[in-house]
């Protein structure tokens, strides 16, 4: 399985040590987790593969991303495609050591987020402020978004300042955290509340049935 090794900083044909296939309601597409050994440095790697349709009656496992260490792509399928694509591109830029480009793509992810949220402002700054006022994000996420926006501007324009590897990694984490908070964790919380509500209704129904005299 071809995978990027962060230790060797190159793509290698990892030796498969073990694998596990899973499929759930939250992730209906079959997902294979693969434990690998780098043939060069002998370090452990964890990758994934996804099952896709390649013909009318033919399916094929395709190589996905590294899950550990330092995931190459942590974008969740619940994140809208227009935002997810930008995050994926940001990951690719970071892995390719194009740190200014990484910052720009993180900013593009925020632009997509604002567009999908139908903010009235045409710029990221105004969009983030509106998301804060609408309570889609909180004050801390707003600050992360503002920091990301400023670094994105540095990366997008021809200035003498450069985006460092450490800053690019932080910006990528901030972008992922904001998007996962809005689309992934919010969805999980809504499902949690529905389960609690359903359980409460079942308990109330059972109690009422138990109280019926014979």
């Amino acid at each position: 399985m071809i995978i990027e090794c962060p230790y060797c900083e190159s793509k290698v044909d990892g030796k498969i040590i073990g694998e596990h296939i899973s499929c759930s309601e939250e992730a209906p597409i079959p997902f294979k987790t693969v434990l690998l050994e780098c043939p060069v440095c002998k370090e452990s790697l964890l990758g994934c593969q996804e099952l896709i349709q390649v013909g009318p009656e033919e399916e094929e496992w395709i190589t996905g991303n590294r899950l550990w260490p330092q995931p190459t792509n942590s974008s969740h399928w619940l994140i809208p495609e227009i935002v997810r694509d930008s995050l994926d591109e940001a990951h690719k830029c970071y892995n390719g050591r194009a740190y200014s480009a990484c910052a720009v793509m993180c900013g593009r992810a925020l632009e997509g987020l604002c567009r999908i949220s139908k903010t009235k402002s045409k710029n990221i700054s105004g969009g983030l402020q509106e998301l804060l006022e609408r309570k889609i994000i909180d004050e801390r996420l707003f600050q992360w978004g503002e920091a990301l926006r400023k670094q994105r501007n540095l990366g997008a324009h021809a200035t003498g300042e450069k985006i460092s590897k450490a800053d690019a990694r932080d910006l990528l984490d901030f972008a992922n955290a904001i998007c996962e908070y809005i689309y992934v964790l919010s969805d999980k919380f809504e499902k949690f509340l529905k389960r609690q509500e359903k359980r409460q209704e079942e308990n109330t129904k059972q109690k009422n049935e138990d109280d019926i005299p014979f």
Side-chain angles (χ1 to χ4, degrees):
M1 175 178 169
I2 305 301
I3 192 170
E4 293 181 1
C5 177
Y7 305 104
C8 301
E9 295 189 340
S10 61
K11 286 191 175 182
V12 297
D13 187 3
K15 177 183 177 182
I16 297 178
I17 305 300
E19 59 185 43
H20 175 72
I21 298 175
S22 59
C23 188
S24 64
E25 292 183 2
E26 291 189 359
I29 300 176
F31 186 83
K32 182 189 292 185
T33 305
V34 186
L35 176 63
L36 304 159
E37 177 187 89
C38 175
V40 179
C41 63
K42 307 302 179 182
E43 291 287 351
S44 299
L45 305 168
L46 194 64
C48 67
Q49 291 182 310
E50 296 178 356
L51 189 64
I52 65 168
Q53 188 115 14
V54 294
E57 298 182 358
E58 186 179 359
E59 295 178 326
E60 181 178 309
W61 287 102
I62 62 168
T63 299
N65 301 284
R66 186 179 66 247
L67 302 176
W68 183 90
Q70 303 172 15
T72 53
N73 181 2
S74 56
S75 302
H76 197 281
W77 64 274
L78 280 175
I79 297 174
E81 184 177 4
I82 189 174
V83 180
R84 190 172 66 246
D85 286 347
S86 294
L87 290 177
D88 291 347
E89 288 294 327
H91 280 281
K92 292 176 183 177
C93 291
Y94 179 83
N95 293 329
R97 303 179 187 178
Y99 303 127
S100 293
C102 175
V104 172
M105 295 312 299
C106 286
R108 188 170 182 267
L110 289 189
E111 288 179 353
L113 190 158
C114 291
R115 179 180 299 178
I116 291 175
S117 299
K118 297 181 179 180
T119 57
K120 297 179 181 179
S121 177
K122 294 183 179 180
N123 57 58
I124 298 177
S125 178
L128 288 173
Q129 183 63 46
E130 188 173 333
L131 292 178
L132 176 64
E133 293 171 355
R134 289 163 56 185
K135 297 184 179 181
I136 294 177
I137 60 175
D138 60 16
E139 183 65 35
R140 178 59 60 86
L141 291 180
F142 173 76
Q143 292 175 2
W144 292 356
E146 274 292 283
L148 198 162
R149 178 186 65 81
K150 292 175 182 178
Q151 291 297 307
R152 174 260 188 189
N153 289 341
L154 290 178
H157 301 291
T159 65
E161 298 189 53
K162 295 182 178 180
I163 306 295
S164 69
K165 178 180 180 179
D167 286 348
R169 180 69 256 179
D170 287 343
L171 295 175
L172 199 49
D173 289 342
F174 295 157
N176 279 319
I178 293 170
C179 293
E180 290 193 3
Y181 174 88
I182 293 175
Y183 299 112
V184 182
L185 296 179
S186 295
D187 180 76
K188 284 182 177 292
F189 187 64
E190 287 180 7
K191 289 179 179 178
F192 169 78
L193 291 179
K194 288 180 181 179
R195 288 198 304 271
Q196 296 299 307
E197 183 179 350
K198 182 178 180 180
R199 188 175 295 112
Q200 182 64 39
E201 290 176 353
E202 291 174 349
N203 291 339
T204 301
K205 181 179 179 181
Q206 184 62 49
K207 184 178 182 302
N208 291 337
E209 290 176 352
D210 292 341
D211 290 340
I212 297 176
F214 292 100

